[in-house]
Amino acid sequence: MRRRAPLPEGEEKARAVRRLFDTISPRYDLLNRLITFGMDAGWRRRTVRKLALAPGSLVFDLASGTGDLCRELLAAGHRAIGFDFSHGMLVAARTEAPLIEADILRLPVRDDAADGATCGFALRNVVSLEALFEELARVVRPGGRISLLETAEPHGRLMQLGHRIYVCRIVPAIGGLLSDRDAYAYLPRSAAYLPPVEEILAMLRSAGFADARRIPLGGGVTQLFVATRA
Ligand SMILES: C[S@@+](CC[C@H](N)C(=O)[O-])C[C@H]1O[C@@H](n2cnc3c(N)ncnc32)[C@H](O)[C@@H]1O
């Protein structure tokens, strides 16, 4: 049996993640729609709604990718700025929002600059979740809001079995047909980077988001972390 290489850590992980998204960027949107059966659009709308910020608020979208969350933010009447470190994803982006090529662990903005922040499907990709949450606490003003969307493992053995077969077998097969099989095999494996929910909530609270809570979405295959900057 072929032994799988261990998941990369530290700077090696950052380089691998950037390379992966540069590679899959041209067909990222198509694959997203297909593998989520189009449900990702509703999850993103919910992410923006749960910010519960007044129209006109300045919202940073961290790891903005091809700009889907930026588009939702603009549609809700917010001012959005996207940040991502994959040049390929930024080139493939379709949004009117300004986009900045930057590492979301070191945002090139002053303290308390934003009224809120979103992040879609990137918690597992960063080198350090604590560093990300501290950076969010630095750039979001007191009273500002965050809404972070991420995949999740559903409850119940049957749901878990079906979900595992889907993400570990079917998703890589679709990726292989339409994009890059290795990349779409890595994405489900990268869920292993996510600590348990209670740990994520504890990290958010200690970073300065005292009321952090989790909302399951899509029957438990996705989750949203929402919080207010204390
Ligand atoms: C799964 S994609 C999500 C894109 C978009 N948010 C969405 O919802 O479709 C993850 C994105 O995170 C970006 N990313 C990961 N780590 C990053 C970091 N440290 N700094 C900036 N962008 C990062 C990748 O380049 C990629 O575009």
Side-chain angles (χ1 to χ4, degrees):
M1 205 166 71
R2 196 157 63 107
R3 287 254 308 276
R4 285 196 298 187
L7 290 167
E9 298 287 347
E11 277 316 299
E12 191 197 340
K13 175 180 175 183
R15 276 195 300 275
V17 166
R18 196 183 304 127
R19 218 174 22 243
L20 178 144
F21 285 102
D22 279 344
T23 304
I24 65 174
S25 56
R27 295 199 137 182
Y28 175 81
D29 288 345
L30 171 69
L31 268 286
N32 246 359
R33 293 305 96 79
L34 282 176
I35 66 184
T36 68
F37 303 100
M39 285 190 291
D40 63 312
W43 297 334
R44 285 172 218 281
R45 270 197 298 280
R46 191 87 180 272
T47 304
V48 171
R49 246 192 346 261
K50 285 291 173 188
L51 277 175
L53 285 167
S57 299
L58 177 61
V59 181
F60 292 164
D61 181 37
L62 273 48
S64 50
T66 53
D68 281 1
L69 267 170
C70 284
R71 282 205 305 283
E72 281 306 327
L73 288 164
L74 295 179
H78 297 312
R79 293 172 293 138
I81 303 179
F83 298 87
D84 201 289
F85 70 3
S86 158
H87 189 74
M89 292 293 268
L90 293 169
V91 167
R94 293 165 300 109
T95 174
E96 298 296 307
L99 299 175
I100 296 173
E101 191 169 331
D103 187 337
I104 58 172
L105 302 184
R106 289 179 286 270
L107 291 168
V109 298
R110 64 171 170 77
D111 297 357
D112 301 338
D115 300 306
T118 52
C119 182
F121 303 113
L123 299 186
R124 62 177 57 196
N125 289 318
V126 292
V127 167
S128 160
L129 263 186
E130 280 109 329
L132 174 65
F133 296 161
E134 273 160 29
E135 191 61 346
L136 277 167
R138 183 184 75 77
V139 302
V140 173
R141 65 161 170 81
R145 299 269 301 156
I146 60 168
S147 189
L148 319 174
L149 182 64
E150 185 49 271
T151 57
E153 172 132 22
H155 286 299
R157 282 180 49 191
L158 208 61
M159 275 292 282
Q160 280 172 359
L161 181 68
H163 184 248
R164 206 158 301 146
I165 292 171
Y166 184 66
V167 297
C168 297
R169 303 260 175 231
I170 299 176
V171 167
I174 299 173
L177 277 178
L178 299 173
S179 178
D180 182 289
R181 186 182 173 96
D182 286 349
Y184 282 87
Y186 168 82
L187 290 175
R189 279 189 79 206
S190 67
Y193 285 114
L194 281 181
V197 169
E198 277 315 316
E199 227 172 278
I200 297 179
L201 289 171
M203 282 182 204
L204 279 168
R205 288 174 189 139
S206 81
F209 297 96
D211 67 350
R213 70 192 172 97
R214 171 188 187 263
I215 303 169
L217 300 177
V221 297
T222 309
Q223 57 192 337
L224 197 53
F225 294 94
V226 290
T228 312
R229 173 77 174 96

